[in-house]
Amino acid sequence: MIRAIRGMRDLLPPDTERWHQVELAAREVFRRYGYREMRLPLLERTELFARGIGAETDIVAKEMYTFTDRHGDSVTLRPEATAQVVRAFLENGLARTAGVKRYFLIGPMFRYERPQKGRYRQFHQINCEALGSDAPELDVEVILLLVDILREVGLKDLRLLLNSLGCPVCQVDFRAELKLFLFDREGWCPDCERRRGVNALRVFDCKSSHCQKLLEGAPALIDFLCPDCARHYARVKELLGRFRVDFTEQPRLVRGLDYYTRTAFEVTALGLGAQDAVAGGGRYNGLIRELGGPDLPGIGFAIGQERLMEVLPAAAADVRRELVFLAYLGAAAKDRALALLGELRAQGLAALMDFDDRSLKSQLSLADRLEAAAAVIVGENELQEGAAQVKWLADSRQERLPLGELAGCLASRLKAHG
Ligand code: HAM
């Protein structure tokens, strides 16, 4: 048997249906906030991510699915969406349109990480990007939008972690101070040993508990913010308070991608274990310029769908199925059932029948196993009388319904039950 690739999961019913509900809810919230959808390729030029995310990040240094295509170009399965949303934004001339540009994107991402609970090599994100304004009000809009989606789908016990990463100006002094701190201590893991020289901020990202211990007492970016960044951060916090969004300041939150400036945030949820970040995001005021565009700021987030599904309460057990199963006895009844099947579907009902001429008993047991709401029985008698026997499978109640009105009657009863 050929198996799926490690870290890549099959998504099957009924999970696909729950995923669909979550995506519908997210789309509805995006609509209310005026965000519109982008659908972009899964493959991009490797250079886009190397430049956009940062060569020293774990993602670019060791987690990308990169290969050479038949033409000899280096291409990469997207590990995240922000860089490619910016690429599409620039390539399609969207920077010229007026006002803040608001987009969302839902789809798979690929990272060659060590698979574990909540960490996969193909995973899915609900991604949000707002381009064109540095106003702290936009930061708050994006955070409110995230919280609204998470609440709308039923997530409880969420925790919002907040930090400001400042701008390149305030980062200069901070990096110098941090470097002093890092070179003052020994015993870093080989990765951090290298990072402290080339990109000191990344040390905060290290997963080793030993390095995290060594980091105790490290300087915090928050103490180095320039007046503009400090004002921006203060306004974000003030507005979050005004909108009654609880948050915890987390001075060590640096996020795993290099493009962040100013506001950075993560949402964690209880019950996820080690991989407890359900969503993460922040400002990226330098990214659009870095990718060859105008000097426009941006901010966004991505929700990890697998992790979100993991912590959502299971769908109410009592959701009664809406499927109608048509059972028949004999060739004439089969033809009539086929016609009825078409009528029911045309009326918008979910309807199925079996085509293999099984016994009535086995057709009804199939209806049970499919968790149908009702089984409609059509035999010789029913054809003569012009009425079908309908069995409601939840309580075994039976009734006769005229064949000519079957679709309408079933539809109104299913609606009343639903
Ligand atoms: P990120 O923090 O790398 O940010 O990913 C966002 C979320 O994706 C994480 O919080 C997590 O829920 C989920 N995630 C990441 N890696 C995996 C994995 N291997 N398996 C399962 N879930 C995973 C970004 O990707 C940024 N592009 C977010 C952003 C948008 N920032 C601004 N705009």
Side-chain angles (χ1 to χ4, degrees), residues 59 80-82 111 113 118-120 123 125 127-129 255 257 259-260 277-282 284 300-304 307:
I59 297 179
E80 64 107 46
T82 310
R111 295 183 194 173
E113 296 193 79
R119 193 158 75 192
Y120 308 101
F123 59 98
Q125 285 185 344
N127 214 90
C128 160
E129 312 294 349
R255 313 264 310 118
L257 307 97
Y259 49 61
Y260 290 110
V278 173
Y284 43 88
F301 65 76
I303 301 174
R307 294 187 197 171

Side-chain angles (χ1 to χ4, degrees), residues 249-270:
E249 284 188 75
Q250 182 73 273
R252 291 225 196 142
L253 179 73
V254 291
R255 313 264 310 118
L257 307 97
D258 272 354
Y259 49 61
Y260 290 110
T261 55
R262 293 198 165 168
T263 312
F265 53 91
E266 273 181 14
V267 171
T268 60
L270 286 180

Side-chain angles (χ1 to χ4, degrees), residues 289-323:
R289 198 188 40 211
E290 177 64 37
L291 293 176
D295 191 7
L296 282 176
I299 177 165
F301 65 76
I303 301 174
Q305 282 179 271
E306 282 77 5
R307 294 187 197 171
L308 177 60
M309 299 314 294
E310 183 78 28
V311 282
L312 283 191
D318 193 35
V319 183
R320 223 161 308 181
R321 298 301 167 120
E322 30 130 49
L323 185 68

Side-chain angles (χ1 to χ4, degrees), residues 371-389:
E371 296 181 63
V376 175
I377 301 161
V378 189
E380 296 295 330
N381 287 345
E382 283 77 10
L383 285 186
Q384 267 165 25
E385 290 167 24
Q389 185 74 18

Side-chain angles (χ1 to χ4, degrees), residues 198-349:
V198 288
N199 188 350
L201 223 71
R202 291 265 69 81
V203 175
F204 285 108
D205 236 13
C206 184
K207 278 144 199 150
S208 135
S209 55
H210 181 68
C211 291
Q212 286 300 328
K213 201 153 178 61
L214 280 175
L215 273 171
E216 269 168 31
L221 230 164
I222 204 96
D223 299 323
F224 289 77
L225 296 183
C226 66
D228 276 354
C229 288
R231 252 195 312 277
H232 189 276
Y233 189 41
R235 174 77 174 153
V236 169
K237 288 189 287 184
E238 178 211 328
L239 285 174
L240 286 176
R242 218 187 286 168
F243 284 102
R244 298 189 196 295
V245 178
D246 286 335
F247 61 88
T248 308
E249 284 188 75
Q250 182 73 273
R252 291 225 196 142
L253 179 73
V254 291
R255 313 264 310 118
L257 307 97
D258 272 354
Y259 49 61
Y260 290 110
T261 55
R262 293 198 165 168
T263 312
F265 53 91
E266 273 181 14
V267 171
T268 60
L270 286 180
L272 275 178
Q275 306 300 322
D276 65 350
V278 173
R283 263 203 176 278
Y284 43 88
N285 288 354
L287 179 63
I288 300 178
R289 198 188 40 211
E290 177 64 37
L291 293 176
D295 191 7
L296 282 176
I299 177 165
F301 65 76
I303 301 174
Q305 282 179 271
E306 282 77 5
R307 294 187 197 171
L308 177 60
M309 299 314 294
E310 183 78 28
V311 282
L312 283 191
D318 193 35
V319 183
R320 223 161 308 181
R321 298 301 167 120
E322 30 130 49
L323 185 68
V324 175
F325 188 92
L326 288 172
Y328 60 93
L329 260 180
K334 184 178 190 178
D335 280 349
R336 189 62 209 271
L338 273 171
L340 284 169
L341 183 66
E343 287 168 31
L344 297 186
R345 288 175 173 167
Q347 291 277 328
L349 295 174

